[in-house]
Amino acid sequence: MAQKRLMQELKPLQKERWVNIETDETNIRKWRMGLWVVNPDSVWHGAYLKAEMRFPDDYPYQPPTFRFNTPNICHPNVYPDGTLCISILHKPGDDDRSGELASERWNVLHGVESVLRSVLLLMDDPEINSPANVDASVLYRDHRDEYNKSAKALVEQTQSDVPEGITMPTSEELMPAPVKVVEEEDDDFWNISDEDDDFGGSDSDAGMDDFEDDDDDDEDTK
C-alpha cells in the first residue's frame, strides 16, 4: 500500500517548482529533495535546502521521517544531524508527555506535500519552548540579528547546491492558473411559453374589468 500511495503523491509533486524530488530507483520509500524557500518575507528566502524523507512499510498509517542534508542549519527545531523535530511527523494520537494533541500530530490524511509545507512554515516560525537546538533557540530569542545573519549566510552557502538547470520559481510562477468560468446557456430562456408573454402584467390586473363594470352601473343609476 505504501508504494501505491507514494506513486500517487509523487506525480503531482514533480510538477511543482518549489520542490525538486528524486527517488531511489531501487526503493520508492526513500526520497531525496531540494526545497526552495520562496517566501520573500522569510529570513531564509532564496535558500535551496537539501533533505531526505524515508517512509515506513505501513505508510500512510505511520509518519515518514525528515532530515535536512544541508549542513549547519542553525534553527531551534533542527538537530545537529539535520533531523527535524516537528509535530506533524510524530506518531498518531494524543501525547500527554509533550502536550501535543492528536490534531497536531500525524494522521492518515496527511501526505508529503502537507509535511513539506509545514517544514517551510516552521523554518519561519520556530517552536522555541521545546527546542532541538538550544543554542539556536537562545540566539533566535535573545539575539535575533545574529540569528538572521547566520540564516542569510546559509542561504548564500546553499546556492552551490542548486542542480544545473534548476532555478527558484518567481512569485508569478507560483500563482495558481486562473480558472475560466464557462457560463452554461439557459435553453429555457429562449423557449418562453405563452403564459410568460405578459412581462408587465400582474395578478391584480385580472379583476380590473369588474371594477370598470361597477363604475358603469353607478353612472346608470344617477
Side-chain angles (χ1 to χ4, degrees):
M1 180 176 182
Q3 180 173 343
K4 182 178 179 181
R5 169 70 177 259
L6 288 171
M7 290 301 295
Q8 291 174 340
E9 293 192 51
L10 178 62
K11 188 174 181 179
L13 280 172
Q14 288 178 322
K15 299 178 182 179
E16 296 288 348
R17 293 286 309 277
W18 54 273
V19 59
N20 179 40
I21 297 177
E22 296 179 358
T23 58
D24 190 318
E25 294 182 358
T26 62
N27 184 4
I28 188 62
R29 293 187 292 107
K30 182 180 179 181
W31 293 13
R32 287 189 175 90
M33 62 192 66
L35 287 173
W36 284 109
V37 181
V38 296
N39 177 12
D41 298 324
S42 172
V43 68
W44 306 93
H45 178 244
Y48 184 79
L49 303 175
K50 296 189 300 181
E52 68 175 40
M53 293 182 72
R54 294 175 182 262
F55 303 87
D57 292 334
D58 52 354
Y59 178 83
Y61 297 104
Q62 293 297 323
T65 61
F66 182 98
R67 183 170 69 88
F68 284 113
N69 289 335
T70 296
N72 305 320
I73 297 179
C74 180
H75 187 280
N77 304 117
V78 179
Y79 287 101
D81 68 349
T83 301
L84 182 69
C85 181
I86 186 172
S87 298
I88 195 175
L89 293 181
H90 294 164
K91 290 185 176 182
D94 295 328
D95 184 1
D96 294 334
R97 289 186 60 185
S98 67
E100 291 177 344
L101 301 176
S103 59
E104 301 172 301
R105 296 162 67 91
W106 180 261
N107 68 63
V108 72
L109 297 179
H110 288 311
V112 177
E113 183 172 356
S114 60
V115 169
L116 297 183
R117 292 188 181 278
S118 296
V119 168
L120 291 174
L121 288 173
L122 186 66
M123 292 299 294
D124 292 333
D125 188 19
E127 172 54 60
I128 63 174
N129 293 325
S130 54
N133 185 328
V134 176
D135 292 339
S137 179
V138 172
L139 202 63
Y140 178 85
R141 185 189 64 199
D142 300 334
H143 307 284
R144 187 68 61 87
D145 289 343
E146 290 184 38
Y147 177 86
N148 291 346
K149 184 178 179 180
S150 173
K152 292 183 182 300
L154 186 78
V155 172
E156 193 68 27
Q157 171 192 322
T158 64
Q159 302 311 301
S160 62
D161 294 328
V162 180
E164 186 176 353
I166 300 294
T167 57
M168 187 175 76
T170 64
S171 300
E172 290 75 17
E173 290 172 332
L174 293 170
M175 292 290 289
V179 178
K180 184 178 181 180
V181 178
V182 179
E183 296 183 0
E184 296 183 4
E185 186 174 295
D186 187 355
D187 294 336
D188 292 338
F189 180 83
W190 303 108
N191 296 298
I192 302 173
S193 66
D194 294 339
E195 296 176 356
D196 297 329
D197 286 344
D198 188 2
F199 291 104
S202 67
D203 293 341
S204 61
D205 292 340
M208 290 302 294
D209 292 342
D210 294 337
F211 285 109
E212 292 174 359
D213 292 343
D214 290 344
D215 291 341
D216 292 342
D217 292 342
D218 290 342
E219 291 177 359
D220 292 341
T221 57
K222 289 180 180 178

